[in-house]
Amino acid sequence: MKCLPPATVPRRRCRGMTLPEVMVTSAIFGLAMAGFLALHLFVLRYDQKVKLKLSACNDARNALNRLAADVRGAGVVRVGNGDASGFREAAFGQPQVGNALQIHPVKGNTNAFIRYYCDVEDELLKRFVSGEPEVVLARAVTNTLVFAAEDGTGRVLSNNFNNRVISVTLLFNQDRNPEGAPRSGFLYDYYHIRTRVTRRALE
């Protein structure tokens, strides 16, 4: 086999990348990686935001479904203020609004009751059944006047007559911080959910 002298080797087969070409290639690669990283971080943040919204909506839906079932099958429903230790019904002649709702499944039996109330200190909506431990139904509830007794047009009543509609309003305030601890200047998501329900058997 005959070897060609170095002078006869084609120059295009011996060329490498020059320094400017290497710098341009590195810059393009760096920009592409930066764009990919920014997109990845955006997707992670968006995923966390969606999870918070789904969590809030799921809590509200479960709470309202359970409350509606209790109210529809109740014997007596009272609106007022209270917590796990006690309940005070709104006075006759005063607006029937408050942070608590007490339901007696059987009319005339005041010993058996179901109490829904919003704990203003820890912003939790809780369900308390007589003789059982309380259960948390929803978190990050910021409004204190959750329950109201209204007429068919939505006007708040000043009496506890039986033919009334129970209105439930929940205002949620969800911190977007994935670690859960509030941070100064951090963003929050707000949700407003309202529903109305009445008993099946009106007298």
Side-chain angles (χ1 to χ4, degrees), residues 67 76-92 95-104 110-118 126 128-130 144-149 160 164 166:
L67 188 149
V76 177
V77 180
R78 297 286 183 254
V79 176
N81 294 285
D83 52 25
S85 60
F87 174 81
R88 184 177 68 259
E89 183 180 1
F92 190 86
Q96 301 291 297
V97 296
N99 78 311
L101 184 73
Q102 183 149 304
I103 301 169
H104 296 280
T110 59
N111 294 324
F113 62 86
I114 303 170
R115 184 180 302 151
Y116 289 86
Y117 69 95
C118 180
K126 301 178 181 179
F128 176 67
V129 181
S130 54
T144 55
L145 300 179
V146 177
F147 305 99
N160 59 0
R164 56 186 181 159
I166 301 301

Side-chain angles (χ1 to χ4, degrees), residues 128-140:
F128 176 67
V129 181
S130 54
E132 299 180 10
E134 61 186 15
V135 178
V136 175
L137 296 181
R139 304 178 184 275

Side-chain angles (χ1 to χ4, degrees), residues 1-11 13-14:
M1 181 178 181
K2 186 177 180 180
C3 296
L4 297 174
T8 62
V9 177
R11 293 180 60 84
R13 298 178 58 187
C14 299

Side-chain angles (χ1 to χ4, degrees), residues 118-120 122-125 137-144 146 169-173:
C118 180
D119 194 324
V120 296
D122 53 15
E123 298 182 343
L124 299 176
L125 179 66
L137 296 181
R139 304 178 184 275
V141 180
T142 58
N143 59 314
T144 55
V146 177
T169 303
L170 297 175
L171 301 181
F172 291 93
N173 181 357

Side-chain angles (χ1 to χ4, degrees), residues 191-203:
Y191 312 89
H192 182 184
I193 299 177
R194 188 173 188 267
T195 190
R196 305 174 75 209
V197 60
T198 188
R199 293 174 54 238
R200 289 195 184 96
L202 298 178
E203 299 174 357

